Amino acid sequence: MATIMMVIMIGLLLLGFPMMVPLIAGAVVGFVMMFDGFGQMGTFVQQMMAGIRPASLIAVPMFILAADIMTRGQSADRLINMVMAFIGHVKGGLAISTATSCTLFGAVSGSTQATVVAVGSPLRPKLLKAGYSDSFSLALIINSSDIAFLIPPSIGFIIYGVISETSIAELFIAGIGPGLMILFMFSIYCLIYARVNNLPTEEKSTWGQRGVAMREALWPLFFPVIIVGGIYGGIFSPTEAAAVCVLYAFLLEFVVFRSLKLPDIYRIAKSTGLITAVVFILVAVGTGFSWIISFAQIPQAILESVGIADMGPVGVMVTICIAFFVACMFVDPIVVILVLTPIFAPAIESTGLDPVLVGVLITLQVAIGSATPPFGCDIFTAIAIFKRPYWEVIRGTPPFIFMLVAAAGLLIAFPQIALFLRDMAFR
């Protein structure tokens, strides 16, 4: 049955159907084979609806809406100007500023696609003008935007937390350390790249200019303070933090900056509604598919075939990393989290692994796979936004992928990189 389901899914994917169609088709075929017909299809529909019932998922459209408001407003530009004012003059400063801006905007929006648009659009022309190759610039923007998967608020953490019943607040805090570590690794690479290619530096800003840039970016910088500080201080839950972010973004862009007008609300709401619909359809279908394969005991069969029962904690983590990394090279990250997390759940529980650490590792692999050929979703986002050919977009990615894989290795070897802040906040 598992083979037939996989053949149907792969065939429909190759024919160009949206991801939800192969998932539904594979799940329905599996259901019919298990229950000998469509008589109990209502049970499958109930499982799909159960997937989008958790209240924690309300945070997803809220963070998408907040990101959309800020992307169309001035928040991103103000953050970029502040970063450039402080580090733009050092060797490789423009590239380091791009990576830092992606991290900061990720802490504001939680969306990789929004980060690619908001940061990549203004900074890519500057990188090209400064002498950076287009392949390097595109790879830097794509991979730096994926830090948004780890820096709270992270939609990936929300989906994983709902599926695995892990504390989303703990996941948010645990993602900060790995995200900053990856930013540091990218910054070192940018410095080396600029020195090797003898690239020019930007003009050094005066302290007066830095003060102005800092003052203009002060309001957007309160976003991560609200999210992390509010959750850490026990003021509100992650879902409530998402609602507060929407209100703050609205007040900032419509009232304080006045960068948006009331007619813009319709376009923003429409865009958010479309993205949210896609996400929730994938969540519902992925939940139904996960229920089918769990009911058929396919996860147990797969884990037995790879001998995971004989592995220790490190072996299980390495296997999880490889599985999620490869899967996200071909399939939407949300679907991968929904489908693979239940498969590995028995092994995670039997080895006594911390589900928060596993969540950070899984989300990191999702980030890597999203920017990795052949079908990483962020690659096609960059192609659509920057109008560049596929091969040019992916040509500069190998060094960044290597650094991200190295970061995963460091997390496995030194779990406290992720768990240190979590333990301080919640233990």
Side-chain angles (χ1 to χ4, degrees), residues 124 128 131-140 193 386 388-389 392-393 395-396:
R124 176 173 166 266
L128 297 178
Y132 292 88
S133 69
D134 204 10
S135 58
F136 172 86
S137 303
L138 291 168
L140 174 66
Y193 182 92
F386 302 124
R388 303 308 302 164
E392 187 170 335
V393 172
R395 194 167 58 200

Side-chain angles (χ1 to χ4, degrees), residues 76-343:
D77 291 335
R78 289 170 180 254
L79 289 172
I80 291 170
N81 292 337
M82 182 201 70
V83 174
M84 286 292 298
F86 279 91
I87 59 177
H89 64 281
V90 303
K91 201 69 172 176
L94 184 57
I96 297 172
S97 297
T98 302
T100 306
S101 298
C102 286
T103 303
L104 282 176
F105 193 77
V108 168
S109 69
S111 168
T112 58
Q113 282 82 3
T115 304
V116 170
V117 175
V119 178
S121 297
L123 283 182
R124 176 173 166 266
K126 293 183 179 181
L127 288 165
L128 297 178
K129 186 178 179 181
Y132 292 88
S133 69
D134 204 10
S135 58
F136 172 86
S137 303
L138 291 168
L140 174 66
I141 292 166
I142 293 170
N143 287 276
S144 297
S145 68
D146 284 338
I147 299 176
F149 265 118
L150 293 167
I151 299 290
S154 165
I155 294 174
F157 279 147
I158 295 171
I159 301 297
Y160 171 81
V162 169
I163 294 298
S164 64
E165 298 182 353
T166 303
S167 168
I168 296 173
E170 292 189 24
L171 288 166
F172 276 4
I173 300 299
I176 296 174
L180 294 178
M181 177 182 68
I182 293 169
L183 172 62
F184 177 76
M185 296 170 74
F186 283 5
S187 299
I188 295 298
Y189 175 63
C190 291
L191 175 63
I192 295 171
Y193 182 92
R195 288 191 179 279
V196 169
N197 292 277
N198 195 28
L199 296 174
T201 58
E202 298 290 308
E203 182 180 348
K204 187 174 182 178
S205 299
T206 64
W207 281 106
Q209 292 171 325
R210 291 174 179 176
V212 172
M214 186 70 183
R215 186 169 63 251
E216 291 180 345
L218 194 60
W219 289 109
L221 284 174
F222 271 109
F223 275 101
V225 174
I226 291 172
I227 296 167
V228 178
I231 295 172
Y232 175 81
I235 301 172
F236 37 64
S237 68
T239 304
E240 293 165 343
V244 172
C245 279
V246 172
L247 176 62
Y248 188 72
F250 183 89
L251 292 174
L252 212 58
E253 300 295 351
F254 284 89
V255 179
V256 179
F257 298 157
R258 298 184 180 180
S259 57
L260 298 174
K261 307 297 182 184
L262 288 179
D264 294 320
I265 295 177
Y266 172 76
R267 289 193 295 272
I268 293 170
K270 181 181 178 181
S271 172
T272 300
L274 290 172
I275 297 172
T276 302
V278 172
V279 171
F280 272 60
I281 289 172
L282 289 174
V283 170
V285 175
T287 303
F289 184 86
S290 299
W291 176 75
I292 292 291
I293 62 175
S294 298
F295 193 87
Q297 295 190 330
I298 293 174
Q300 290 84 340
I302 293 175
L303 296 179
E304 287 178 9
S305 66
V306 298
I308 202 166
D310 300 323
M311 296 180 184
V314 173
V316 171
M317 286 190 287
V318 171
T319 304
I320 289 173
C321 287
I322 294 172
F324 276 85
F325 171 57
V326 173
C328 284
M329 291 165 59
F330 300 93
V331 182
D332 186 272
I334 292 175
V335 175
V336 174
I337 294 173
L338 289 167
V339 173
L340 291 189
T341 300
I343 290 178

Side-chain angles (χ1 to χ4, degrees), residues 341-382:
T341 300
I343 290 178
F344 286 100
I348 294 169
E349 185 175 350
S350 64
T351 52
L353 286 170
D354 190 320
V356 173
L357 174 62
V358 174
V360 174
L361 278 171
I362 286 175
T363 307
L364 176 55
Q365 300 313 307
V366 165
I368 302 171
S370 298
T372 303
F375 301 120
C377 62
D378 285 343
I379 294 173
F380 294 97
T381 301

